[in-house]
Amino acid sequence: MSTEASKKAFNEAQSLIPGGVNSPVRAFKSVGGTPIFINEGEGAYLTDVDGNKYIDFVQSWGPLIFGHRDESIEAAVIEAVKHGLSFGAPTVAETELAKLVVSFFDSIDKVRFVSSGTEAVMSAIRLARGFTNRDDIVKFTGCYHGHSDALLVEAGSGAATFGNPSSPGVPADFTKHTLLAEYNNIESVKKCFADSSDIACVIIEPIAGNMGLVPADKEFLHALRKLCSDNGALLIFDEVMSGFRGSVNGAESITGVTPDLVTLGKVIGGGMPVGAFGGKREIMAQLSPEGPVYQAGTLSGNPVAMAAGFAALSKLKQNARVIAVLEERAKTLVAGMKRVAAAEGITMQIDVRGSMFGFFFNEKPVKNFANASESDAELFAKFHAGMLSEGFYFACSLYETGFISTATTDVMIEDTIDAAARVFKAIKNG
Ligand code: KE4
């Protein structure tokens, strides 16, 4: 498999763009080799600039639950474009998508659209601080909530990948209000509330996807809910990744825990730049121009992006069972990978939530970031490179999650397991 054109493209990109990429995790730094430059996507497939085809398990880090170039989403975008790209004025398209989002989440009465998950989380944090008139926030080591200053503390995803979970350039004054707790450890959260009476909110990925896939224990989330309620702090579920991937009705429908605010992204834009945050009426009423908490965006609610999101969520509305179908495929995939790895003496921890799947090369179960970071990163890199050469595109960091789309067929799943068997054998034979 030649990747000469990707190498050439990467060299040129590095002369103009820091690291040659517009988002660090794409640089393949933790797995080595040259990042693959993509020419196009179609269904379950990516084709790179050398003409190599791959089955895509990244799907733009989650948005493409219906695969690349879904007909109805593409048609909706093309139709919207014919009416103009952006107006900076309200459109009915925003209300229509808001209606859909609200219909899926019991916890959401009102929603505000922005252009990324980072913006959604940054805004939700400000809203929580404004609503409670408190300054401190609690996040969990290994959770990633986008790159706004207050959240770049012991973050997951790319930040963990590069070993700088707390980024330079963020003044200590900006993060002194960010308290850290350990995922799935309620005692660590109780300590935060003992240390501060000024906690505005606790933000958590209820299905963590940025330390690898590590779902929160149900009883932990229930205890977290009680702790927040007892202390007058808001509970924020960051479902930018897990929203419409773990369940169409949010983690609240799986766990029975109702958050005060939810942040969303990825799938709700159908592949276009959309983020959102929503919650109960009385909290959202604090948001400008209704209330005093300021938040704004030139392209927020962009009509073309709204059309893509509406098409994507409409498909989910018409066929909510799709997540259950994708979950079965995800389970088949990781169980098969675990089986063929074991045949070569390699131990894998695996997990699935809806269309999200994760795996660790680790002897022990993974319940938090400390456990995840004990996984075999070198073996992960060899696996990633081997699968890539076999035509399977996995996330280029062990601190990420894999995804199944409706375009990922059962045959593709079996082919992936067979390829994994060859890769593990080659790794073992050195
Ligand atoms: P964006 O600003 O990248 O749209 O969303 C930030 C964000 C917030 N919350 C959660 C739970 C997220 O997973 C993300 C972004 N996810 C990463 C993938 N792990 C985006 C990929 C990247 O950074 O390039």
Side-chain angles (χ1 to χ4, degrees):
M1 172 184 276
S2 164
T3 57
E4 287 312 305
S6 277
K7 289 190 176 93
K8 184 168 177 289
F10 190 44
N11 284 337
E12 184 176 22
Q14 289 178 91
S15 66
L16 295 161
I17 301 168
V21 292
N22 285 303
S23 196
V25 72
R26 304 176 189 171
F28 274 30
K29 273 262 196 291
S30 74
V31 292
T34 300
I36 298 297
F37 276 61
I38 303 303
N39 184 49
E40 65 174 359
E42 181 76 41
Y45 292 98
L46 288 173
T47 302
D48 70 16
V49 291
D50 288 280
N52 302 308
K53 271 184 90 168
Y54 308 87
I55 289 178
D56 181 12
F57 289 107
V58 178
Q59 296 157 30
S60 186
W61 304 101
L64 306 176
I65 193 168
F66 297 109
H68 295 277
R69 295 199 60 202
D70 171 81
E71 274 178 22
S72 54
I73 296 172
E74 187 166 294
V77 167
I78 291 168
E79 182 54 32
V81 164
K82 292 174 186 168
H83 296 271
L85 292 178
S86 181
F87 311 115
T91 63
V92 171
E94 296 152 79
T95 310
E96 289 309 305
L97 185 55
K99 226 182 274 179
L100 259 182
V101 171
V102 167
S103 75
F104 280 112
F105 281 77
D106 290 343
S107 61
I108 299 179
D109 293 335
K110 284 195 166 184
V111 61
R112 170 64 59 87
F113 293 113
V114 293
S115 299
S116 72
T118 292
E119 255 193 289
V121 170
M122 179 178 73
S123 309
I125 295 286
R126 184 179 310 130
L127 176 59
R129 284 171 160 158
F131 180 78
T132 60
N133 198 23
R134 296 179 181 178
D135 293 340
D136 290 347
I137 65 173
V138 177
K139 77 171 287 293
F140 294 87
T141 299
C143 282
Y144 177 72
H145 303 290
H147 64 90
S148 60
D149 284 342
L151 277 304
L152 272 185
V153 180
E154 296 300 321
S157 183
T161 300
F162 297 102
N164 57 350
S166 307
S167 171
V170 178
D173 270 358
F174 284 29
T175 53
K176 68 184 179 187
H177 292 293
T178 304
L179 284 66
L180 276 176
E182 183 176 73
Y183 202 75
N184 279 322
N185 174 348
I186 197 63
E187 293 309 317
S188 71
V189 190
K190 285 177 182 170
K191 186 177 179 314
C192 291
F193 279 101
D195 293 347
S196 167
S197 57
D198 195 35
I199 294 173
C201 63
V202 175
I203 183 166
I204 189 167
E205 292 178 65
I207 303 173
N210 290 289
M211 52 177 113
L213 178 65
V214 184
D217 295 335
K218 204 179 280 191
E219 54 279 358
F220 166 71
L221 286 179
H222 280 274
L224 190 60
R225 172 68 275 174
K226 184 173 184 318
L227 208 49
C228 288
S229 304
D230 292 351
N231 289 277
L234 298 188
L235 178 58
I236 302 177
F237 275 4
D238 180 356
E239 295 226 65
V240 166
M241 183 190 291
S242 58
F244 302 103
R245 276 289 189 173
S247 153
V248 293
N249 302 112
E252 58 200 66
S253 67
I254 304 170
T255 62
V257 173
T258 303
D260 299 297
L261 288 172
V262 180
T263 54
L264 295 166
K266 298 180 192 271
V267 170
I268 65 165
M272 297 288 282
V274 179
F277 59 105
K280 289 302 172 211
R281 205 174 298 282
E282 62 274 14
I283 300 173
M284 297 302 285
Q286 291 301 306
L287 206 55
S288 178
E290 203 174 319
V293 179
Y294 197 69
Q295 183 276 329
T298 302
L299 294 175
S300 296
N302 171 270
V304 179
M306 293 292 104
F310 185 81
L313 295 199
S314 297
K315 284 172 77 102
L316 286 170
K317 196 77 182 170
Q318 287 145 23
N319 178 13
R321 264 200 48 74
V322 71
I323 300 281
V325 171
L326 298 186
E327 182 163 69
E328 286 313 306
R329 284 186 202 152
K331 285 177 179 174
T332 303
L333 174 63
V334 290
M337 286 166 61
K338 184 182 177 79
R339 174 171 44 79
V340 298
E344 303 300 331
I346 295 169
T347 307
M348 287 178 81
Q349 305 297 325
I350 60 174
D351 212 336
V352 166
R353 281 294 183 283
S355 61
M356 303 164 73
F357 68 85
F359 57 91
F360 295 97
F361 295 115
N362 197 320
E363 297 297 326
K364 293 177 291 185
V366 177
K367 302 297 285 178
N368 56 43
F369 183 67
N371 300 158
S373 54
E374 289 163 356
S375 303
D376 188 333
E378 193 183 327
L379 178 51
F380 179 88
K382 289 177 183 170
F383 172 77
H384 181 269
M387 292 303 281
L388 204 58
S389 66
E390 290 266 355
F392 299 87
Y393 192 81
F394 278 76
C396 49
S397 164
L398 76 88
Y399 299 118
E400 295 292 351
T401 293
F403 301 96
I404 303 288
S405 80
T406 54
T408 318
T409 65
D410 292 334
V411 170
M412 291 172 187
I413 298 285
E414 290 308 319
D415 291 347
T416 308
I417 294 166
D418 293 344
R422 294 192 292 271
V423 168
F424 287 132
K425 187 178 287 296
I427 289 170
K428 266 322 196 187
N429 294 339

